[in-house]
Amino acid sequence: MPIPRKPDGSVVTTCAYCGVGCGFKAETLGGKVVRMIPWKEGKANHGHSCVKGRFAFDYYAHPDRVRTPLIRDHIDEPWRAVTWDEAIGHAATRLRDIQARHGTKSVGAVSSSRCTNEEIFLVQKFARVALRNNNIDNCSRICHSPTQFGLSATLGAGAASQHFDSVLQADVILVVGANPTEGHPVFGSMLKRRVREGARLIVLDPRRTETVNSPHCSADVHLALRPGTNVAVLDSIAHVVVREKLYREDFIRSRCHRDEFEQWAALVGDDRYSPEVVGPQARIDPEDIRRAARLYAAGPRSTIYYGLGVTEHSQGSTGVMCLGNLALACGMVGREGVGVNPLRGQGNVQGGSCLGSWPHMFSGYRFVTDPEVRSSFERAWDITLDAEPGLRLPNMFDAAVAGTFKGIYIQGEDPVQSDPNRDHIVAAMRAMECVILQDLFLTETANFAHVFLPGSSSLEKDGTFTNAERRVSRVRKIVEPLAGLADWEITVRLTNAMGYALHYDHPSEVMLEIARTSPAYRGMTYALIDRVGSVQWPCDENAPEGTEVLHTATFPRGKANFMLTEFVPTRERADDRFPLLLTTGRVLSQYNVGTQTRRTGNVAWYAEDLLEISAQDAAARGIVDGDPVAVSSRVGSTVLRARLSTRVSPGVVYTTFHFAQSKANAITTDLSDWATNCPEYKVTAVEVMRVTPSMTRAQPTPVAEAVEA
Amino acid sequence: MSDTPVIEVERLVAMANQIGDFFAPYPSAQRAEGIRNHLRHYWDPRMRAALLAHLDATGGADLAESVSIAARLLRDESRAGAKAYAGPPRAG
Amino acid sequence: MVWVELRALRDDIDLGTPPRDGAPVTLSIDGVDVTVPAGSSVMLAAATAGRPVPKLCATDTLAAFGSCRVCLVEIEGRNGCPASCTTPVEAGMRVHTRSERLDRIRKGVLELYLSDFPEEDLPGGWSEFHETLATVGVTSHPYGRGENHLAAPIDRSNPYFVFDPAKCIVCSRCVRACEEIQGTFALTIADRGFRSAVVASQGESFLASECVSCGACVQTCPSQALIEKSLFEGEYERAHPTQA
């Protein structure tokens, strides 16, 4: 067979993996997807791709895909295959019954950033109009909720200020707690391209990642800070900016509140944030802090890209505010080549934030406690809405453990694997009377579910994703949903079964409703996206084809705000019993909890979660490369294979959370961000001990999915 | 529905104290308003009620003073209509 | 600035060299006036004018390289046949993309490429190489079976694509894509002259190399020497028997 089969169909769509949101042409042959070709006109990727989006699409047709709805009365019973009508009816009956016995607020819902904007919008609408409460959250709770909080507080909009191409105009690139070459590879390639052209690179990361050093791209300054010291180090960079008067007086006067700047400058300018004080705390050279500050402030165009290394801390929101403050002080907002930009993990995390999947906010980032906003939705939906904030996802689990929360509708999330302090999550799951799970596969969470609604992959439905640069792109149906229904149709049916009549013929009608009810999406239509390829919000009468750079003339609140960012160390501390700090992340070839990528050829590169440990810490514990090791924290333990690595400094260990078997989240704690409850995945005090192979076998077999391809 | 707090009180106290820690560097009036605004507009009312009940029952010895002051402000009905905001706390 | 190079790319046309954003320059291609930004190549101007020049080593996502010698043109007032990909446009330039001489040269060059390409892979092929052969009208070559690469081992190590050196025309597009687009620098051309070959890292398999499997090399390969496994039923095998 030397001549390759030629595809006979091609449809432009958007990758569902990371927040870069690459445009792809899905090529088909005889109705099956045979390859994904990066779209040259994709404005996020310009024809480039990574191993996940380009090749790892086979999961969609994997034998493990659930093709029929399943129900059971108790989680110890086997699943029973049923019709859609029976499953939906059963789910609605159970939810109504729980509400009758335990109150309206005893149930909730969570939406998924792997689903489309339309689907996310419908799940939050389901919670508000069918459950009649605000117990609705989305998975950005556990990744970028501090971004929304911290950037709203400083710049006034909880989203990236730039577009990705803007990095090509930057002179100085500051990467904080992110590893774009693995987590956001296509953007990582663009960043490296700019560095090869001469841009200076500053990286704040406990690990010597590929972003720090790779062929023809190395950081001018790498601050390999101790996990948990972000805020101290960022305040110290600000200290240098203030003390050496590197700030932009004109920008501060015209664009910010001068008195707030004074207040902030007094705080960070204090001696306790001098590099000489913070350097030893963070185990970095004070001179490197000074170099980073001077480089960033000098610009002339300096930009910030950051990831979960900033947000997933007990001071996650404060860390984001530090970045906003720094950019404001140096006047690095509102032009090409500058800005503050979150790199978002999942394809539609920004959409998850935008579309009202919050217990305290409606779509368009407006508080549910605001009577005017609420009444506008009450008019649109013809129903009285709950006037009070609902429970956040971690609080739903807390409440389940406390016995006050009894049922949940989970759209495409796997909290048992992905959320911190696994034992706590499992206890919460077991305490609930009805867990309705909508997913592609029987995940870890499915072990605790009573109703399983088989969802559709992004190749099987129409909709839109909003990527990390606020870009709304079309997701187009390439093949029919394997189980018969697209996710949006499932939510619509469930809403109807709960007694609130809902009807849409196509997701484009949901987008019209989103546009009517969400200011930033006011001008967004499928016709517009089809015409111009993709559209960055805000899109309205002032910006009919969208907005690339935010804050050019004014901020959403007029002037921007400086926030006071005192460093408060996390309660999670290393001590004699748990002397190492564990931090977590991801690798290039795998994606989050791995439900998709573990079922593809990508396991050729990474087939298990490994524990990266320095040679010094390994030697002190008699560990050699490849040894199985027990990793224990104050909340639990797991066994991983050790990989000796020069990427981590002594005192720091690192692992990923891609594989269910490794239960990395058995050890992470339930400490969380002060403002948003975003979990502190990035700092866990642990001890690592070599275990003999027999001890490894003695570990209980995980209740994981049956097949690992 | 029983009197069971919606979430264990220890957890609520820890969360509230973290909020207090953030607002600590602000002048006292702004600090109190910042904490109040956060509790009012981000917390489920049952969580607020449980915190207040705890404050009444124990005097709030395990709560930061700023948090106790701010939590009491939640009772002031004249502020009930105050709009939520992101951004630095406003005084008064 | 890379900016325009990326933003002006279009899905339905390969301009041959990256778009530029200089001041407008007007020149004539086969008697048709065309205006393109200064800094553009003659190849880009020709493509814009609807007179695309046959090419192999050039594509608009990579900087011009000038190695394949297929894209030659004639420019009035200049000697010889410059490569259109590496020749910048000038105002008033008069370019000819077709002539008997150009046809002869292109045919000669393509016949040489073809002499070291598996002939079984010609009928029904749909790669850029096949299209270029068709455009220039080359279906066979006059050479006997000489030294060749037809027995070079296939690299099947990557889960998603194969590398068949027998079909490689050593245009370097994969190497350049790995460097310029992906920035990984995993590929290189080892050795020189007839022995030149694309290798990953220090001659390792693709899977064992630094290759991150982004697909940029597969995407840009004009001859399907790098090709997705998903386009084949069963394992990739050569049609021709392995020659000694």
Side-chain angles (χ1 to χ4, degrees):
Chain A
M1 273 300 288
I3 303 292
R5 298 178 295 163
K6 192 173 184 182
D8 57 14
S10 174
V11 178
V12 172
T13 188
T14 303
C15 180
Y17 282 116
C18 80
V20 177
C22 295
F24 274 94
K25 291 192 291 182
E27 294 191 345
T28 53
L29 182 62
K32 281 198 66 178
V33 180
V34 289
R35 66 174 180 177
M36 299 288 281
I37 293 293
W39 189 35
K40 267 169 85 184
E41 295 183 33
K43 289 177 183 167
N45 60 315
H46 304 294
H48 192 33
S49 59
C50 83
V51 64
K52 293 187 285 287
R54 176 78 159 86
F55 295 119
F57 57 86
D58 249 9
Y59 69 86
Y60 93 89
H62 195 277
D64 288 354
R65 278 288 298 276
V66 181
R67 286 162 166 81
T68 174
L70 306 169
I71 62 171
R72 58 186 173 186
D73 288 326
H74 195 273
I75 60 168
D76 298 329
E77 294 172 3
W79 287 109
R80 205 151 51 79
V82 294
T83 63
W84 275 110
D85 281 347
E86 187 174 352
I88 299 274
H90 180 79
T93 306
R94 295 288 294 263
L95 288 175
R96 277 201 305 263
D97 172 59
I98 290 170
Q99 287 189 301
R101 287 183 291 117
H102 300 284
T104 309
K105 297 194 175 190
S106 59
V107 295
V110 54
S111 67
S112 171
S113 298
R114 296 187 202 179
C115 283
T116 63
N117 285 322
E118 293 75 6
E119 289 163 346
I120 291 166
F121 183 84
L122 287 176
V123 171
Q124 63 94 32
K125 183 169 177 180
F126 164 82
R128 302 195 205 279
V129 303
L131 300 182
R132 305 296 305 274
N133 65 38
N134 289 323
N135 291 337
I136 168 67
D137 212 345
N138 75 90
C139 62
S140 77
R141 177 64 64 201
I142 65 170
C143 64
H144 266 295
S145 51
T147 284
Q148 204 242 300
F149 192 91
L151 289 186
S152 293
T154 47
L155 307 184
S161 62
Q162 312 296 116
H163 50 120
F164 287 140
D165 288 354
S166 177
V167 76
L168 298 172
Q169 309 247 8
D171 304 304
V172 178
I173 304 167
L174 171 57
V175 176
V176 189
N179 185 14
T181 58
E182 301 219 35
H184 306 83
V186 168
F187 173 72
S189 288
M190 197 132 87
L191 183 152
K192 283 167 122 181
R193 197 167 177 154
R194 186 60 186 162
V195 172
R196 289 200 302 277
E197 289 181 334
R200 313 295 295 270
L201 178 64
I202 308 166
V203 180
L204 264 80
D205 199 302
R207 294 168 75 225
R208 274 170 292 280
T209 61
E210 211 213 321
T211 304
V212 173
N213 197 357
S214 66
H216 306 284
C217 175
S218 56
D220 295 273
V221 184
H222 175 213
L223 299 171
L225 75 186
R226 186 117 169 110
T229 58
N230 278 343
V231 169
V233 171
L234 291 169
D235 279 346
S236 189
I237 291 174
H239 175 94
V240 177
V241 168
V242 167
R243 286 291 194 91
E244 297 187 6
K245 298 200 182 339
L246 306 175
Y247 49 82
R248 282 270 308 274
E249 186 68 46
D250 54 337
F251 186 88
I252 294 162
R253 276 192 190 287
S254 60
R255 304 290 308 271
C256 311
H257 294 281
R258 174 76 208 188
D259 55 330
E260 288 177 7
F261 168 76
E262 301 285 351
Q263 215 178 9
W264 171 78
L267 178 84
V268 299
D270 189 271
D271 286 345
R272 67 183 181 280
Y273 291 116
S274 76
E276 287 65 32
V277 174
V278 171
Q281 285 174 25
R283 300 196 189 168
I284 50 180
D285 183 349
E287 198 48 40
D288 282 344
I289 298 178
R290 292 190 184 280
R291 285 172 57 214
R294 289 168 192 154
L295 264 178
Y296 178 81
R301 285 165 302 187
S302 300
T303 186
I304 297 173
Y305 289 88
Y306 71 94
L308 303 183
V310 171
T311 57
E312 289 177 346
H313 288 278
S314 58
Q315 277 203 291
S317 291
T318 316
V320 175
M321 291 173 192
C322 287
L323 300 175
N325 290 338
L326 186 62
L328 290 172
C330 298
M332 298 299 178
V333 189
R335 300 175 275 143
E336 288 288 5
V338 300
V340 186
N341 303 280
L343 292 170
R344 298 189 182 248
Q346 300 194 53
N348 204 22
V349 173
Q350 183 67 58
S353 288
C354 292
L355 296 166
S357 262
W358 295 110
H360 66 293
M361 275 178 170
F362 290 113
S363 65
Y365 304 102
R366 290 158 305 156
F367 286 90
V368 298
T369 48
D370 186 326
E372 283 170 42
V373 173
R374 199 170 57 248
S375 65
S376 74
F377 280 93
E378 290 179 332
R379 281 194 300 277
W381 295 341
D382 192 24
I383 196 165
T384 309
L385 296 171
D386 184 357
E388 291 284 353
L391 292 170
R392 304 164 183 176
L393 182 58
N395 300 143
M396 290 184 208
F397 293 133
D398 293 338
V401 171
T404 58
F405 188 81
K406 298 288 187 184
I408 190 166
Y409 169 42
I410 302 174
Q411 177 200 44
E413 284 294 308
D414 188 6
V416 174
Q417 192 184 336
S418 66
D419 287 27
N421 192 357
R422 188 177 191 277
D423 286 352
H424 178 71
I425 305 295
V426 167
M429 285 288 166
R430 286 189 183 282
M432 281 189 262
E433 293 179 15
C434 183
V435 173
I436 302 160
L437 181 63
Q438 184 171 319
D439 212 315
L440 303 182
F441 299 100
L442 288 173
T443 59
E444 290 291 286
T445 301
N447 292 320
F448 305 93
H450 305 85
V451 180
F452 187 90
L453 305 173
S456 46
S457 79
S458 61
L459 295 167
E460 298 158 43
K461 58 196 180 188
D462 283 301
T464 56
F465 284 152
T466 306
N467 78 353
E469 45 167 3
R470 296 172 278 107
R471 182 180 301 288
V472 182
S473 304
R474 271 298 306 277
V475 173
R476 292 186 178 89
K477 182 155 88 174
I478 320 294
V479 294
E480 288 302 316
L482 253 62
L485 294 182
D487 291 276
W488 65 272
E489 294 174 297
I490 301 171
T491 306
V492 166
R493 285 203 188 192
L494 189 58
T495 310
N496 280 301
M498 290 290 289
Y500 182 91
L502 211 54
H503 178 82
Y504 304 93
D505 283 324
H506 190 265
S508 58
E509 296 173 8
V510 184
M511 179 51 86
L512 292 178
E513 182 171 331
I514 290 171
R516 278 198 303 274
T517 54
S518 324
Y521 284 70
R522 195 179 301 148
M524 207 72 76
T525 63
Y526 281 23
L528 173 65
I529 299 169
D530 289 345
R531 181 164 62 80
V532 303
S534 57
V535 180
Q536 285 180 273
W537 66 255
C539 170
D540 55 25
E541 52 284 359
N542 299 320
E545 292 192 1
T547 311
E548 291 196 326
V549 178
L550 295 184
H551 316 310
T552 48
T554 174
F555 290 96
R557 287 192 298 271
K559 289 190 168 186
N561 297 107
F562 282 90
M563 298 292 291
L564 297 185
T565 52
E566 186 86 270
F567 173 54
V568 182
T570 170
R571 285 194 285 133
E572 183 70 4
R573 309 277 169 88
D575 59 15
D576 288 347
R577 227 178 116 214
F578 300 104
L580 304 172
L581 288 184
L582 169 77
T583 188
T584 59
R586 52 160 88 162
V587 294
L588 169 68
S589 54
Q590 296 290 339
Y591 177 72
N592 280 12
V593 294
T595 318
Q596 293 146 300
T597 45
R598 277 184 281 130
R599 291 182 170 88
T600 68
N602 283 24
V603 291
W605 288 276
Y606 198 75
E608 61 177 321
D609 291 319
L610 298 167
L611 184 83
E612 287 186 9
I613 184 168
S614 70
Q616 184 182 322
D617 289 327
R621 290 162 177 79
I623 294 166
V624 298
D625 195 65
D627 271 351
V629 292
V631 187
S632 315
S633 74
R634 293 184 181 93
V635 306
S637 73
T638 190
V639 174
L640 299 168
R641 202 168 291 282
R643 173 183 277 174
L644 267 57
S645 172
T646 53
R647 286 182 155 201
V648 288
S649 303
V652 177
V653 291
Y654 168 86
T655 193
T656 51
F657 57 100
H658 299 307
F659 291 85
Q661 300 92 316
S662 49
K663 293 186 189 163
N665 281 322
I667 40 186
T668 51
T669 70
D670 54 12
L671 293 175
S672 64
D673 175 42
W674 69 269
T676 65
N677 285 132
C678 178
E680 187 160 68
Y681 289 110
K682 298 297 183 186
V683 194
T684 308
V686 296
E687 178 55 299
V688 176
M689 278 167 50
R690 193 165 164 270
V691 294
T692 61
S694 63
M695 283 170 71
T696 326
R697 278 199 298 275
Q699 287 289 311
T701 316
V703 219
E705 298 106 304
V707 185
E708 291 302 326
Chain B
M1 297 283 285
S2 67
D3 292 338
T4 317
V6 63
I7 291 171
E8 285 176 23
V9 169
E10 297 76 46
R11 171 96 165 132
L12 295 176
V13 167
M15 284 169 61
N17 281 337
Q18 268 189 289
I19 297 167
D21 283 344
F22 174 80
F23 289 102
Y26 284 93
S28 60
Q30 279 183 301
R31 187 188 312 146
E33 172 54 18
I35 300 169
R36 186 208 70 86
N37 176 68
H38 194 89
L39 294 174
R40 177 67 188 84
H41 298 285
Y42 291 84
W43 276 33
D44 182 297
R46 294 169 296 168
M47 291 162 64
R48 301 198 302 267
L51 187 72
L52 283 167
H54 171 74
L55 188 59
D56 289 344
T58 65
D62 48 3
L63 282 171
E65 193 190 351
S66 61
V67 176
S68 299
I69 292 169
R72 290 197 180 91
L73 289 179
L74 290 168
R75 291 214 167 96
D76 183 349
E77 282 305 311
S78 66
R79 290 164 173 275
K83 278 208 174 187
Y85 57 87
R90 298 190 280 253
Chain C
M1 181 63 55
V2 176
W3 185 279
V4 167
E5 293 187 11
L6 295 175
R7 294 194 150 202
L9 294 175
R10 289 297 167 262
D11 188 53
D12 53 355
I13 184 169
D14 183 352
L15 297 167
T17 60
R20 301 284 184 220
D21 61 350
V25 172
T26 301
L27 67 162
S28 133
I29 309 277
D30 295 337
V32 178
D33 275 358
V34 62
T35 302
V36 295
S40 302
S41 67
V42 167
M43 177 181 276
L44 181 142
T48 308
R51 305 286 297 171
V53 184
K55 63 185 183 56
L56 286 176
C57 75
T59 187
D60 57 8
T61 53
L62 297 170
F65 195 56
S67 79
C68 77
R69 315 316 292 171
V70 174
C71 74
L72 311 184
V73 292
E74 291 171 351
I75 299 174
E76 288 181 19
R78 292 199 192 184
N79 294 333
C81 301
S84 62
C85 63
T86 49
T87 306
V89 293
E90 286 171 21
M93 212 177 222
R94 301 180 69 79
V95 179
H96 300 281
T97 69
R98 309 280 150 83
S99 77
E100 221 173 284
R101 176 168 67 150
L102 289 171
D103 277 358
R104 199 173 58 245
I105 297 173
R106 282 180 196 144
K107 273 196 168 149
V109 169
L110 285 170
E111 282 169 356
L112 283 168
Y113 277 112
L114 198 54
S115 70
D116 192 7
F117 191 86
E119 61 191 70
E120 300 83 356
D121 290 350
L122 281 182
W126 48 280
S127 75
E128 224 179 293
F129 179 57
H130 289 92
E131 285 168 14
T132 304
L133 290 172
T135 307
V136 181
V138 174
T139 53
S140 62
H141 63 85
Y143 308 102
R145 175 69 77 211
E147 240 188 306
N148 61 64
H149 297 85
L150 300 178
I154 300 169
D155 185 340
R156 297 187 183 85
S157 63
N158 184 289
Y160 299 114
F161 61 83
V162 296
F163 173 56
D164 184 352
K167 291 172 147 184
C168 175
I169 59 170
V170 202
C171 64
S172 290
R173 271 165 68 164
C174 54
V175 175
R176 290 178 284 139
C178 191
E179 296 178 1
E180 294 175 29
I181 299 175
Q182 166 60 23
T184 292
F185 297 81
L187 304 180
T188 187
I189 303 287
D191 227 317
R192 33 197 319 200
F194 176 77
R195 286 190 302 278
S196 307
V198 170
V199 298
S201 297
Q202 308 298 312
E204 289 155 83
S205 73
F206 270 79
L207 185 65
S209 75
E210 292 105 329
C211 166
V212 293
S213 194
C214 68
C217 56
V218 182
Q219 183 62 14
T220 199
C221 178
S223 61
Q224 294 178 336
L226 284 155
I227 180 93
E228 295 90 349
K229 288 180 176 174
S230 60
L231 295 185
F232 298 89
E233 276 170 314
E235 193 166 3
Y236 177 85
E237 296 293 349
R238 283 177 182 149
H240 55 88
T242 303
Q243 282 104 7

